[in-house]
Amino acid sequence: MVGSSVTRFIVLVGPAGSGKSTLTGELADHIRGFGASVATLNYDPAASSLPYSPDIDVRDYVTVEEFMDKGLGPNGALIAAVDSSFSYVSRLRDAIDDINPDYVIVDTPGQMELFAYRVGGPVVVRAIVGEDPAATVFLMDAVFFEEPMGMVSVLTLASSVAIRLQLPQVNIVSKADLLRGEVLEDVIPRLGEEGFLEGLVDSMGHVDEFVRELARSIAGALHSSGFIGEVLPVSIHDPDSLALLYAKLQQILAAGDDYRFYDYSPAGGGT
Ligand SMILES: Nc1nc2c(ncn2[C@@H]2O[C@H](COP(=O)(O)OP(=O)(O)O)[C@@H](O)[C@H]2O)c(=O)[nH]1
Ligand SMILES: [Mg+2]
C-alpha cells in the first residue's frame, strides 16, 4: 500500500457518546499495524479534548466559540460552524493531499441532525472526499440493542444517514463488550435474517398496537431494501472486532462502484 496514490475515506458517524473519537484513534492504530498509512481528520469543531492527535483538525479553521460569541446556543453554533466550514474544505483537502495517506478516518460531531436531516454535513463530506472511495461507519451504541424498539429506532436513524450521505455504509454496534452474551450471540448475528427483527417486535409485551405495527413496517422495509445486511459488533477492547471492521472496509473501498450501496456481503447480489 505504501506509495499508493488513492486515498480512501472512512467517515465515522453516530450520536454523541457512541464512541466515534475513541474508534478513530483505535482504528487508525489498527490499520497502521497492517502497514498502511492513515491520517485522522477531526471534523468536530466543538471537540474539547480528543483521545488521539488529529493529523488534520477543523478547529484550526473554525470553532464553535466564534458562533456562540455571536449569540447562538451551543447546538446552533455547532451547526453554523459546520456549515461555515465549507469555505475551508479545499484547504482541508489540500492538507490531506500533502500527507497523501492510504486512508483518512474522519471523526464527526455527534449532532445527528447534521447528517440525518440537514444538507450541511453531507455537502462538506462530499467536498472533502471528492471522487475518492469512501464509506460511512455508523456507530450504534450497545445500549440500543437491549430491546427491539431501541434496535428499530437506531437502525432507522442509521438509514436516514445513509439516505443523506449516499455512501456505502457499515452499521456497527459500538461498545460491543457491554452487550449481554445472548444479544451478542443470538440477536446481532440474526438481524439480517428475513422477519427476524419483526419477530422481536411481535414478541414484545405491553406495546401500543399502532406503535407495534409502525415498528414492524419500518423493520420490514429496512430489511427488504437490503439496508440491514450484516451488523458488526465492534469493541475497542477486542482487536478481532477491529480486524473484521477493517476487512469489511477494505472490501467496500477496494470494490468501488460494485459496492455502491449497502449489500457488501459476498453472498449479496447488490442493490
Ligand atoms: N466499554 C467501551 N467503551 C467505549 C468503547 N468505545 C468508546 N467507549 C467509551 O465511550 C465514551 C464515549 O466515547 P467517545 O469516543 O468520546 O464518543 P463520541 O462522542 O462518539 O466521539 C468514552 O468514555 C469511551 O471511553 C468500547 O468499545 N467499549
Ligand atoms: Mg467525539
Side-chain angles (χ1 to χ4, degrees):
M1 294 290 281
V2 177
S4 143
S5 59
V6 178
T7 295
R8 297 177 161 82
F9 287 80
I10 300 167
V11 185
L12 304 190
V13 179
S18 58
K20 300 175 295 296
S21 299
T22 309
L23 185 60
T24 297
E26 296 290 329
L27 187 61
D29 286 345
H30 185 85
I31 296 177
R32 286 177 189 129
F34 285 88
S37 56
V38 182
T40 51
L41 163 54
N42 170 47
Y43 216 96
D44 184 354
S48 50
S49 69
L50 290 170
Y52 62 97
S53 309
D55 297 295
I56 305 153
D57 197 335
V58 74
R59 294 174 301 179
D60 293 342
Y61 303 90
V62 61
T63 60
V64 281
E65 285 76 23
E66 54 199 81
F67 291 92
M68 289 180 70
D69 290 346
K70 291 176 187 159
L72 292 172
N75 198 51
L78 189 279
I79 286 166
V82 169
D83 284 352
S84 85
S85 72
F86 189 72
S87 334
Y88 305 98
V89 157
S90 64
R91 285 159 70 182
L92 290 165
R93 180 66 212 215
D94 288 347
I96 293 167
D97 291 339
D98 285 346
I99 302 173
N100 190 27
D102 296 315
Y103 291 95
V104 176
I105 303 181
V106 185
D107 183 17
T108 63
Q111 274 77 2
M112 287 312 303
E113 65 260 49
L114 273 172
F115 296 99
Y117 309 126
R118 295 175 60 91
V119 79
V123 162
V124 164
V125 168
R126 294 205 160 275
I128 293 174
V129 166
E131 296 300 311
D132 288 322
T136 306
V137 174
F138 187 80
L139 288 84
M140 303 180 286
D141 199 304
V143 72
F144 295 115
F145 286 79
E146 278 162 16
E147 45 83 31
M149 289 308 185
M151 298 182 212
V152 174
S153 131
V154 76
L155 283 163
T156 304
L157 182 58
S159 73
S160 294
V161 168
I163 286 168
R164 268 317 208 181
L165 281 178
Q166 296 188 36
L167 293 172
Q169 181 164 312
V170 182
N171 296 312
I172 70 170
V173 182
S174 59
K175 311 181 193 176
D177 52 291
L178 302 180
L179 285 171
R180 283 181 290 128
E182 55 171 316
V183 175
L184 192 57
E185 280 152 35
D186 303 332
V187 175
I188 311 280
R190 296 189 61 192
L191 284 172
E193 283 177 26
E194 181 161 10
F196 181 75
L197 189 50
E198 288 112 298
L200 292 183
V201 170
D202 283 342
S203 70
M204 291 181 76
H206 308 294
V207 179
D208 177 89
E209 282 313 310
F210 172 79
V211 171
R212 189 195 304 278
E213 192 44 43
L214 176 62
R216 228 181 166 280
S217 311
I218 292 172
L222 291 173
H223 181 271
S224 65
S225 61
F227 181 71
I228 310 182
E230 193 175 4
V231 174
L232 279 186
V234 174
S235 163
I236 57 154
H237 304 300
D238 175 8
D240 287 347
S241 71
L242 294 175
L244 217 52
L245 174 59
Y246 179 40
K248 275 294 162 222
L249 289 166
Q250 282 182 301
Q251 199 181 347
I252 294 170
L253 293 172
D257 283 349
D258 292 345
Y259 288 91
R260 194 64 206 154
F261 242 120
Y262 320 107
D263 193 2
Y264 48 80
S265 64
T271 51

